[in-house]
């Protein structure tokens, strides 16, 4: 992939509250990658409408996710922050990729099966097609690296398959036009660290999620110190003290989850946390986890609240980001149209 300029792309849906899973699985990675890569971070509002949304709430959520990006330390001047619907090329490339991807590939997507559940015949076609739009998000910038949580891994593999098939199907045109071996890079998922899958605080076998009906299952970025403390105090645990070695976490999903959260928040590893807290009971460990979580999250929550007050500022960031993203996306679409044989 030497021919491709390294570029990071990732997206977050503006639906419901942002939670600790989004923060540790994705947003902290976004922040770190700014040091080494050109980054594009997108509020994926076209993905949000794959399930019904109330317009006023959607608008507020788009601004809230943007505020979270900025509050967490994303530099929207050096990098690009925008909302997906302002750059029409995402939807345009998605159509092209719809014609490249195979039905059988989409039928394997486990997230669709989970989300559609028994109501399969009655969900939107957008929900089914969602991973294709996601591939388009990444490929329209010819992004090489995609930081995400573990739950997005299968979608990233699909994006790679689509990129590869496009490169093969149009190989001759691609090489005649001087794009070398392939037009699209095969985007690499970046799924690393101790919190790639943060679990529910009520059930260590379920993912922490925006759609869980119990607010006690997750810590929201907007939670204040008291709420964070209460949620961690109530988090499900088992009766044993913490083990000293990683192996001791096997079959203890709640313990493993809290240790993983602690490690990610202090940027260490589960092994290091267990070195410090092995043998300790949960009430002591939870107190330390509360202090750490409050110290890390409440400044972000406060900054988010302040930023969301200034709608004009947020909207200007999104507009400026979209203008810069559009230039890159249009370049890709021009080349794609030439490769496909469209007249333009
Ligand atoms: P979304 O909005 O559900 O989640 C945003 C990011 O947070 C991660 N995440 C988690 N990480 C660890 N533990 C959890 N419990 C947890 N819950 C969520 C997600 O993996 C994700 O990285 N389809 C994507 C958005 C998207 C996208 C893209 C991502 C659209 N286009 C292109 C990357 C590239 C989604 O629904 O994320």
């Amino acid at each position: 992939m030497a021919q491709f300029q390294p570029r990071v792309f990732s997206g977050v849906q503006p639906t419901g509250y942002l939670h600790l899973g989004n923060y540790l699985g994705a947003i902290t990675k976004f922040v770190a990658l700014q040091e080494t890569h050109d980054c594009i971070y997108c509020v994926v509002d076209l993905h949000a409408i794959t399930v019904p949304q109330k317009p006023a709430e959607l608008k507020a959520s788009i601004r809230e996710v943007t505020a979270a990006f900025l509050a967490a330390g994303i530099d929207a001047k050096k990098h690009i922050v925008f909302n997906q619907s302002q750059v029409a090329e995402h939807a345009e490339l998605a159509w092209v990729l719809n014609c490249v991807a195979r039905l059988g590939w989409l039928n394997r997507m486990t997230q669709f099966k989970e989300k559609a559940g028994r109501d399969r015949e009655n969900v939107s076609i957008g929900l089914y097609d969602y991973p294709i739009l996601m591939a388009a998000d990444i490929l329209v910038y010819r992004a090489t690296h995609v930081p995400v949580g573990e739950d997005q891994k299968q979608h990233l593999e699909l994006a790679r398959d689509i990129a590869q098939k496009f490169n093969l199907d149009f190989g001759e045109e691609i090489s005649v036009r001087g794009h070398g071996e392939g037009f699209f890079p095969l985007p690499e998922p970046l799924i690393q660290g101790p919190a790639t899958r943060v679990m529910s605080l009520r059930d260590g076998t379920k993912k922490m999620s925006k759609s869980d009906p119990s607010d006690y299952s997750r810590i929201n970025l907007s939670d204040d110190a008291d709420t964070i403390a209460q949620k961690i105090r109530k988090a499900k645990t088992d009766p044993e003290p913490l083990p000293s070695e990683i192996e001791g976490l096997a079959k203890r999903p709640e313990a493993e989850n809290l240790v993983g959260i602690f490690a990610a928040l202090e940027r260490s590893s589960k092994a290091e946390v267990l070195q410090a807290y092995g043998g300790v009971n949960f009430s002591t460990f939870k107190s330390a986890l509360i202090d750490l979580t409050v110290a890390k999250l409440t400044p972000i929550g406060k900054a988010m609240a302040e930023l969301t007050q200034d709608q004009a500022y947020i909207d200007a960031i999104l507009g400026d980001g979209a203008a810069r993203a559009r230039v890159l996306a249009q370049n890709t679409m021009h080349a794609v149209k030439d490769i496909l044989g469209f007249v333009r």
Side-chain angles (χ1 to χ4, degrees):
M1 287 217 308
Q3 71 185 99
F4 296 103
Q5 185 193 329
R7 180 176 282 151
V8 166
F9 180 93
S10 197
V12 174
Q13 288 201 67
T15 46
Y17 292 114
L18 285 175
H19 54 69
L20 190 61
N22 301 128
Y23 180 66
L24 295 177
I27 298 173
T28 54
K29 314 282 175 62
F30 298 0
V31 174
L33 283 160
Q34 297 182 108
E35 302 300 320
T36 48
H37 289 74
D38 286 336
C39 303
I40 304 176
Y41 297 127
C42 185
V43 186
V44 290
D45 46 11
L46 297 175
H47 278 102
I49 62 161
T50 56
V51 295
Q53 300 292 339
K54 295 201 172 83
E57 285 174 18
L58 178 60
K59 209 170 239 166
S61 283
I62 293 168
R63 292 179 177 135
E64 188 182 281
V65 174
T66 311
F69 283 175
L70 303 177
I74 290 171
D75 183 340
K77 291 217 162 64
K78 261 201 188 145
H79 301 275
I80 294 180
V81 171
F82 74 106
N83 58 315
Q84 193 184 23
S85 61
Q86 291 207 58
V87 180
E89 285 72 14
H90 288 244
E92 196 178 11
L93 182 61
W95 181 258
V96 173
L97 301 184
N98 274 334
C99 301
V100 173
R102 304 291 92 183
L103 204 60
W105 299 359
L106 268 191
N107 286 340
R108 286 200 286 273
M109 295 295 115
T110 54
Q111 198 166 81
F112 173 75
K113 289 180 196 163
E114 279 161 25
K115 283 195 180 168
R118 273 189 245 129
D119 203 21
R120 215 176 154 131
E121 292 294 308
N122 205 26
V123 296
S124 76
I125 295 169
L127 190 68
Y128 181 68
D129 201 31
Y130 177 118
I132 306 286
L133 178 60
M134 186 166 157
D137 295 339
I138 300 164
L139 298 177
V140 85
Y141 302 103
R142 300 212 272 169
T144 53
H145 295 86
V146 185
V148 280
E150 174 75 33
D151 61 337
Q152 297 300 319
K153 190 169 176 215
Q154 195 185 31
H155 292 160
L156 258 294
E157 281 159 9
L158 180 82
R160 290 170 66 90
D161 288 344
I162 294 173
Q164 192 162 32
K165 186 162 190 300
F166 182 94
N167 290 343
L168 277 174
D169 288 355
F170 300 100
E172 219 175 288
E173 280 300 320
I174 287 169
S175 107
V176 168
R177 292 177 184 281
H179 297 297
E181 293 282 295
F183 178 71
F184 288 124
L186 308 189
E188 209 179 298
L190 300 175
I191 306 174
Q192 288 145 356
T196 56
R197 188 173 176 84
V198 176
M199 307 309 273
S200 158
L201 298 182
R202 309 298 289 159
D203 176 352
T205 62
K206 264 173 57 188
K207 194 179 69 170
M208 183 179 286
S209 117
K210 292 169 189 165
S211 54
D212 194 314
S214 166
D215 201 47
Y216 275 93
S217 69
R218 66 185 156 257
I219 293 172
N220 303 313
L221 290 190
S222 54
D223 285 346
D224 61 22
D226 286 346
T227 311
I228 293 173
Q230 231 175 31
K231 288 178 174 176
I232 294 178
R233 286 260 168 257
K234 280 195 190 273
K236 188 178 168 198
T237 47
D238 57 41
E240 303 295 317
L242 281 175
S244 310
E245 310 284 330
I246 293 259
E247 294 72 34
L249 291 173
K251 304 217 175 91
R252 296 181 66 186
E254 284 84 15
E256 175 155 30
N257 190 37
L258 295 184
V259 169
I261 290 172
F262 196 105
L265 283 171
E266 68 162 12
R267 292 190 198 163
S268 67
S269 63
K270 288 181 190 170
E272 283 170 283
V273 173
L274 293 180
Q275 262 169 30
Y277 290 94
V280 158
N281 64 28
F282 271 109
S283 105
T284 310
F285 181 66
K286 278 182 170 180
S287 297
L289 181 59
I290 289 169
D291 290 347
L292 179 62
T293 312
V294 167
K296 294 282 176 181
L297 291 197
T298 51
I300 297 174
K302 280 191 195 124
M304 268 171 75
E306 274 168 34
L307 282 161
T308 38
Q309 297 296 311
D310 195 347
Q311 253 179 44
Y313 175 70
I314 298 277
D315 293 2
I317 298 260
L318 292 173
D320 168 67
R324 288 186 285 137
R326 202 175 293 124
V327 173
L328 301 170
Q330 279 174 349
N331 268 334
T332 304
M333 276 321 292
H334 288 161
V336 166
K337 287 180 176 178
D338 290 344
I339 290 166
L340 293 171
F342 289 162
V343 175
R344 65 176 181 93

